[in-house]
């Protein structure tokens, strides 16, 4: 069975129908997923009722798995601490990862490559996730702004802006990166974790970080994923931002996330 990808927008996102990804997918299947991700950056795959072990195994085909340090709100779904529960209870107000546009695990080096998120329990309505292409956002900047940004590096910390750098979960990354498969450039910065530009103070850095956050999240650079039961969504953290929309109340939602980091699988 072959993959059939239907784009969500001309620039980012596709709904993909094809083989079931449980068990041990073939190398051909894995390579096809890489190709589709390079083309669309975000893939929504329906009818993927993967177990937690299968989700972990699939993500592990793409790189070393992210082990999240213990923290408030972090819920592990397996003993290996590689699969997280993204849970909101009916009486809850906070949606894990839902306060800003961001990419996952930018506070490490090597950083996150792909995130895999499977829906288990969903509200009757709402709870979509929006994604933005930082490649398209970069392409729309003026040459003068691109020249300003190319030499910059940003400090990313798990504690976020306005807080001291986290002792272990802090890393420095170039603001502009090149896609290894397509050669396209994309912005690599987000308001949730980027605290400042290297060599600059947080106060000096903040206006430009805020500008880039507003620029990257413009509607013309985005797509929106509506969740279905057992849907698996995979996205490239290197060239996208995402925003979980916290617009539902009084209902339970549970998704499972596993993240592959950069590095050999």
């Amino acid at each position: 069975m072959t993959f059939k990808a239907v784009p969500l927008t001309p620039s980012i996102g596709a709904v993909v129908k094809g083989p079931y990804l449980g068990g041990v997918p073939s190398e051909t299947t894995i390579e096809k997923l890489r190709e589709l991700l390079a083309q669309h950056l975000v893939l929504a795959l329906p009818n993927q009722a993967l177990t937690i072990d299968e989700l972990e195994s699939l993500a592990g085909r793409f790189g070393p798995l992210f082990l999240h340090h213990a923290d408030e709100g972090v819920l592990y779904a397996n003993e290996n601490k590689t699969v997280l529960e993204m849970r909101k209870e009916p009486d809850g107000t906070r949606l894990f990862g839902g306060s800003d546009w961001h990419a996952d695990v930018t506070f490490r080096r090597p950083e996150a490559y792909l995130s895999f998120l499977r829906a288990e329990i969903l509200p009757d309505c709402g709870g979509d996730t929006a994604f933005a292409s930082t490649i398209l956002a970069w392409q729309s900047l003026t040459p003068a702004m691109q020249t300003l940004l190319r030499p910059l590096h940003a400090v990313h910390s798990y504690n976020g802006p306005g807080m001291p750098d986290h002792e272990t979960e802090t890393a420095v990354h170039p603001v502009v990166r090149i896609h290894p498969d397509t050669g396209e450039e994309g912005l690599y910065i987000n308001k949730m974790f980027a605290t400042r530009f290297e060599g600059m103070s947080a106060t000096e850095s903040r206006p430009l970080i805020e500008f880039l956050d507003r620029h990257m999240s413009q509607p013309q650079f985005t797509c929106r994923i509506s969740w279905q039961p057992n849907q698996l969504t995979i996205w490239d953290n290197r060239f996208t931002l995402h925003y979980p929309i916290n617009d539902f109340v009084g209902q339970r939602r549970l998704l499972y996330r596993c993240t592959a980091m950069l590095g050999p699988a």
Side-chain angles (χ1 to χ4, degrees), residues 120-197:
E120 178 74 13
I121 300 172
L122 296 170
D124 295 334
C125 184
D128 293 356
T129 304
F131 292 88
S133 167
T134 66
I135 292 174
L136 196 61
W138 165 261
Q139 292 172 351
S140 72
L141 290 171
T142 63
M145 179 59 77
Q146 291 178 344
T147 299
L148 172 68
L149 293 172
R150 271 200 180 94
L152 296 182
H153 289 66
V155 179
H156 297 244
S157 179
Y158 181 76
N159 286 344
M163 301 293 290
D165 289 346
H166 194 283
E167 288 186 7
T168 60
E169 306 298 329
T170 299
V172 178
H173 300 287
V175 172
V176 183
R177 67 189 308 158
I178 299 174
H179 196 294
D181 298 320
T182 68
E184 295 174 303
E185 291 179 294
L187 292 164
Y188 191 70
I189 192 164
N190 69 90
K191 192 173 71 171
M192 180 177 284
F193 297 125
T195 62
R196 64 192 181 279
F197 298 107

Side-chain angles (χ1 to χ4, degrees), residues 63-85:
L65 297 180
F66 173 52
L67 301 173
H68 202 301
H69 63 285
D71 194 20
E72 182 182 359
V74 175
L75 300 173
Y76 302 116
N78 63 346
E79 293 183 358
N80 296 333
K81 300 181 180 179
T82 56
V83 180
L84 300 181
E85 289 189 3

